[in-house]
Each structure stands twice: as C-alpha cells, then as structure tokens.
Amino acid sequence: MKILVIEDEKELRKSVITYLSAEGYLCESAGSTKEAIEKIGVYDYDCFIVDIMLPDGNGLDIIKEIKAKGIEGGVIIVSAKNSLEDRIVGLEIGSDDYLVKPFHLSELNARVKSIVRRRNFAGSNQVVFNEITLNLDSREVLVNGKPINLTGKEYDILVYFISNKGRVIPKDSLAEHVWGDYMDNADSLDFIYTHIKNTRKKLIDAGAHDYIKTVYGIGYKFTA
Amino acid sequence: MKILVIEDEKELRKSVITYLSAEGYLCESAGSTKEAIEKIGVYDYDCFIVDIMLPDGNGLDIIKEIKAKGIEGGVIIVSAKNSLEDRIVGLEIGSDDYLVKPFHLSELNARVKSIVRRRNFAGSNQVVFNEITLNLDSREVLVNGKPINLTGKEYDILVYFISNKGRVIPKDSLAEHVWGDYMDNADSLDFIYTHIKNTRKKLIDAGAHDYIKTVYGIGYKFTA
DNA sequence: CTTCGATAACGAGTATTTTCATAGGTGATA
DNA sequence: TATCACCTATGAAAATACTCGTTATCGAAG
C-alpha cells in the first residue's frame, strides 16, 4: 500500500510518515504542489493525504489533477481550518475524507485504512480466499483458521496478490507496489524470488494450496 | 501488440518501454520526428505514443503522417503542457487520447490497453472465438472452458491470429508483431514453422478445430 | 550481543525458443 | 502427369532465458 503525503510542515510530515510506516504502509512525501504533481505523474499510489494550504498553491488543485488523470487512489484532505466551503469543494471534486488539524495520528490512520480497504476489498476488513483469511486490521493471516507468521514484505505480497487475484501480475508491478521506487535503480529484481519462495513455503506449510502460479517470463498469478 | 514510443527524453522513454514491455507489449522507440516517420513507413504498429515536443519538429505532424498513410493503430498524445489547443488539434486529426506530463506509467498502460482492446476486440477483455476463449487480463486461454498452457510466444501468436481472424497474415507481419525488429538481421524465418506447429498441436489436443490455415507462399489465415 | 528480516550471489533445475536435418506438400510448367 | 523448385511440417537436440532454492551478508531492532 503506497501513500503520498503532501504536506509542507516538516515536523508534521515526519510524524505522519513515521506513524503510517510503522503501520506497514509505504510512504512517500511531497512538500509542495509542484513536487506532488511530479510524483503523481510518475508513481502509482493507493492513497493521497493532501494538505490544502501549501506554499505554492492550493491542495485542491492537486486533487483535481489526481482525478483528471483518472487515478483511482483515495484522497484525504487535511486542513488547518474547518472551512465548510473547502470541505464541500473537496468532496465535490472527489476526495474521500476530510480531517481538521490538529488531528490524532490514530484518527488519520483509521481513515487511511478505511480508504485503502474500500479501494481494494470493497470496504471489508476481512478478506477470505478459500482457506486463507486476511485480517487487514491486525495484519494477521489465518490458514484454515490458524494464524501464521508472515514478515512485513510477505504480508504485503500476499495482500497485493489477493487484491489482484486471477490476474497476471508482472514482477515490476509487484515490485512497485511492495517496494516502491524500484525503477530508479532496478538492475535485478531477483530478490523477489526469495520472497515469493518464503511466502509460498509458509502458506503451504500451513496447509494451504499453492495458489501462486508462476507465469514464465512475466511474473505471477494468484488463482484458485 | 506492437507499440512505437516516440519520445526524445531518454529516461522517460526507457521507463515507458520497460513498463510496457513488462505488461507484455512489444515496444520500439523513436527519438525524433525523422526516426519516427522512417519507422512508421517500414513497420506496422498497433499503437503510437507520441510526444508533441520533439527536437526536430512537432509530434502532431507525425500523427498527420500516420493518418495520411491510413494506418489503423491508435494514437496517444503525450505533452508537457496541458494545452487545450494541442489537445483539440490532436483529437481533430484523429488521435485517441491525450496525456499530460508528468504522467503515471500505470495510467499510460491503462490507456494503451483500452486502445488496443477497442481496436482489436471492441472493448472486452475477454475474446471468444468459437470454442476458444482468450482472457487478456490473465493471459489465459480456454478451449471448451478448460485452460490450456501456451508459452509466451504461442500466446502472442494466437492473439495476433484472433485479432486478425479471417485475414491472410503474411509470415513477415506475424514475425514483426510477435518478435519485433528481429527481422532486421534474420536470415531465416523458419523457426515460425515450429511455433505454428506447437500452437496448432496444443489447440487441437485440447479439442479445438484447426483454425490455422496455411496460405502457401504467404503465411497463414485464422478462420472458422 | 543476538536475532530476525531483507537483499545479494550463484549454481542447479526448468521452461522456452531456436536450430537443424529431414520428410512431405504445392503449384507452375512442359 | 511428371518434374522441378520452392515452401511447409515435424521431431529432436542445442542454445538460451528464466526461476528456484541455498547460502551468505548486512543492517536494524530488541
């Protein structure tokens, strides 16, 4: 799950990122409208946290840009004043939520969670795929009702697979969603094999079928 | 699916090609108007991604050239500025889509996909030809509802056949679409026979008719 | 200091693609 | 219809490309 935090106040940006990273999200940040629009153009995010007041422009314009590009990621507006007008405009142009500063990080986290879920799993916080059950709240994975231990990356991989089940997932897409800006210095994506292997092993050892099919030359497909 | 990426910025060109190749498209590139027009004259593409600002001319002229030649491939304009005028002119002269830089690789991918589909299969991501069903998302092929295993090349061949069903397909075109510029230094196209044979065999073994007719001296025709 | 997870490196194991040799067809021409 | 030149099909083997599993390294967290 990749999130772009658009916020010019350094301290706040830092704490938001620290908090959300600890929750297992992949965070990137932009400190200005310009930087935000650049990043939006190049990378693929699942969620945007947008401060309205930015040094070089209005955050609402960034949201317009996101929507104009047809990007599906959710949008949470963050604003210093509880301006009804901003709020209405924000929702009109397609943002999903609105948060007034100062806010609790746990509150922000809850909203991010709900958006990411809505986007990937139609709002549910529990995802079932045959004998595999994901609990998105606790990042817990059950196989036949028994919990198994996955590392962070393994969990991310599984979530990405399940939210794209049945589709062929090119190794690059997987890398981008689980690891972030891999493109920049990607000479070898070989380490993915190791993670796939470990994920597979843990699932199989726990009694699940091997739903991860290898698509030679392209990537993988998670399918029953 | 063959795509020509016309873009002078090396880095961008590279990432576009890397991304689209991973998605299973066959990409070639041109860094200037001159090069683009040369390639357009010689090879056959399904889709063109055209940067408007090029060192030696305007991308719109390339599009005019494409249309003047009666080439059917889709056109996606890419431009640094969101100029309404360019956009209108672009659509007027027959481009299919417009993308403002910097853009999202997955967004570009989505548009390419939609264009290729619109052209080949009228919008569906599932293509049915009698007892053969192609799922373009998962690259899966079903014969009478049962999945069969095709290798990458075999799948590409089948897609190209089905999207040109009823038409005679010269061996050259097939080679060009499935293998790309391989042609330039190919001394023999004999290996195609092997691939055709294997593709045929897998389809027939799975219970399909042999729709691949040989057209002596020219190539093949996929027809009921 | 120890443990754990993430990544790198590499050889072994597979799948795929190409080559090659040979056999079988096709169509034009006489 | 016989012949010839050329095109296509086939099976097996070689070459290549890709993936896997093991082990090693490194750094961060506890």
Side-chain angles (χ1 to χ4, degrees):
Chain A
M1 295 305 151
K2 239 176 124 186
I3 298 175
L4 182 62
V5 179
I6 305 163
E7 168 63 62
D8 60 310
E9 287 173 44
K10 261 193 196 161
E11 280 306 310
L12 177 56
R13 195 170 65 212
K14 206 179 136 198
S15 29
V16 166
I17 289 177
T18 307
Y19 194 95
L20 292 179
S21 300
E23 291 289 326
Y25 298 105
L26 200 62
C27 296
E28 287 170 20
S29 70
S32 66
T33 305
K34 188 167 166 292
E35 196 188 345
I37 291 189
E38 277 172 20
K39 292 212 166 185
I40 289 167
V42 182
Y43 303 109
D44 191 10
Y45 300 96
D46 301 284
C47 184
F48 303 86
I49 295 167
V50 185
D51 188 7
I52 290 295
M53 313 254 251
L54 291 166
D56 62 340
N58 189 306
L60 291 173
D61 294 330
I62 300 177
I63 301 175
K64 282 182 196 150
E65 179 78 17
I66 292 171
K67 296 300 166 183
K69 288 202 162 143
I71 294 169
E72 289 181 346
V75 175
I76 298 171
I77 291 178
V78 161
S79 170
K81 53 172 187 197
N82 188 358
S83 148
L84 190 61
E85 201 187 318
D86 274 1
R87 186 168 198 147
I88 290 172
V89 173
L91 293 174
E92 261 176 6
I93 64 178
S95 70
D96 301 81
D97 220 327
Y98 193 97
L99 211 50
V100 179
K101 289 195 209 175
F103 52 84
H104 274 290
L105 287 175
S106 60
E107 177 63 13
L108 177 61
N109 179 37
R111 304 204 181 187
V112 168
K113 207 177 256 182
S114 113
I115 280 181
V116 165
R117 256 173 223 165
R118 199 182 312 155
R119 175 184 149 97
N120 289 310
F121 306 106
S124 156
N125 65 344
Q126 181 153 306
V127 185
V128 179
F129 183 92
N130 292 7
E131 66 267 45
I132 300 171
T133 302
L134 298 187
N135 187 323
L136 301 175
D137 271 332
S138 55
R139 289 175 71 89
E140 204 172 37
V141 179
L142 306 180
V143 173
N144 290 320
K146 288 184 182 166
I148 63 173
N149 270 332
L150 294 186
T151 69
K153 295 290 181 214
E154 287 160 8
Y155 176 83
D156 290 344
I157 288 170
L158 185 58
V159 170
Y160 190 61
F161 273 173
I162 289 188
S163 67
N164 288 289
K165 63 189 171 197
R167 218 173 305 181
V168 172
I169 299 168
K171 279 207 299 272
D172 307 52
S173 310
L174 180 64
E176 184 176 346
H177 276 264
V178 175
W179 282 269
D181 306 350
Y182 75 101
M183 287 282 220
D184 299 355
N185 47 344
D187 4 65
S188 116
L189 253 37
D190 284 3
F191 59 86
I192 287 183
Y193 295 134
T194 305
H195 289 281
I196 295 290
K197 186 205 80 182
N198 294 336
T199 309
R200 261 192 185 131
K201 182 163 172 24
K202 287 188 184 175
L203 288 172
I204 294 172
D205 284 357
H209 287 110
D210 185 8
Y211 295 119
I212 304 177
K213 306 265 179 288
T214 301
V215 182
Y216 189 95
I218 299 181
Y220 299 92
K221 187 163 81 164
F222 193 90
T223 181
Chain B
M1 295 305 151
K2 232 176 129 190
I3 299 175
L4 182 62
V5 179
I6 305 164
E7 168 64 60
D8 59 311
E9 286 173 43
K10 260 194 198 162
E11 281 306 311
L12 178 56
R13 197 170 61 213
K14 203 180 138 201
S15 23
V16 165
I17 290 178
T18 307
Y19 196 94
L20 293 179
S21 301
E23 292 288 331
Y25 299 106
L26 197 63
C27 296
E28 287 171 19
S29 69
S32 65
T33 305
K34 188 167 166 291
E35 197 187 345
I37 291 190
E38 277 172 19
K39 291 213 167 185
I40 289 167
V42 181
Y43 303 108
D44 190 11
Y45 300 95
D46 301 284
C47 184
F48 303 86
I49 295 167
V50 184
D51 187 8
I52 290 296
M53 314 253 250
L54 291 166
D56 62 340
N58 189 306
L60 292 173
D61 294 330
I62 299 177
I63 300 174
K64 282 180 196 152
E65 179 79 16
I66 292 170
K67 296 300 166 183
K69 288 206 162 136
I71 294 169
E72 288 183 345
V75 175
I76 297 171
I77 291 178
V78 161
S79 170
K81 53 175 187 197
N82 189 356
S83 148
L84 191 61
E85 201 187 316
D86 275 0
R87 188 170 198 146
I88 291 172
V89 173
L91 293 174
E92 262 175 5
I93 64 177
S95 71
D96 301 80
D97 220 327
Y98 193 97
L99 210 52
V100 180
K101 284 196 214 176
F103 55 83
H104 212 278
L105 288 175
S106 59
E107 176 63 11
L108 176 62
N109 178 38
R111 304 204 181 185
V112 169
K113 205 179 259 181
S114 112
I115 280 183
V116 166
R117 268 178 202 162
R118 201 185 309 154
R119 307 206 92 68
N120 291 317
F121 311 109
S124 153
N125 64 346
Q126 183 152 306
V127 186
V128 179
F129 183 92
N130 292 6
E131 66 268 44
I132 300 171
T133 302
L134 298 186
N135 186 323
L136 302 176
D137 266 334
S138 58
R139 291 177 69 90
E140 207 169 34
V141 179
L142 306 179
V143 173
N144 291 320
K146 287 185 182 167
I148 63 172
N149 269 332
L150 294 186
T151 68
K153 294 285 182 232
E154 288 160 8
Y155 177 83
D156 290 344
I157 288 170
L158 184 59
V159 169
Y160 189 61
F161 274 172
I162 289 188
S163 69
N164 289 289
K165 61 188 172 197
R167 223 173 300 179
V168 173
I169 298 166
K171 279 210 304 274
D172 312 43
S173 310
L174 180 63
E176 195 180 323
H177 276 265
V178 175
W179 282 269
D181 284 358
Y182 186 77
M183 302 289 288
D184 295 359
N185 47 341
D187 8 66
S188 117
L189 252 39
D190 286 2
F191 57 84
I192 287 183
Y193 297 133
T194 304
H195 287 284
I196 295 291
K197 184 201 75 180
N198 293 336
T199 308
R200 263 191 185 131
K201 181 164 171 25
K202 286 189 184 174
L203 289 171
I204 293 171
D205 283 359
H209 287 109
D210 184 9
Y211 296 118
I212 304 177
K213 307 269 179 285
T214 301
V215 181
Y216 188 89
I218 301 180
Y220 300 91
K221 188 163 83 164
F222 193 90
T223 180

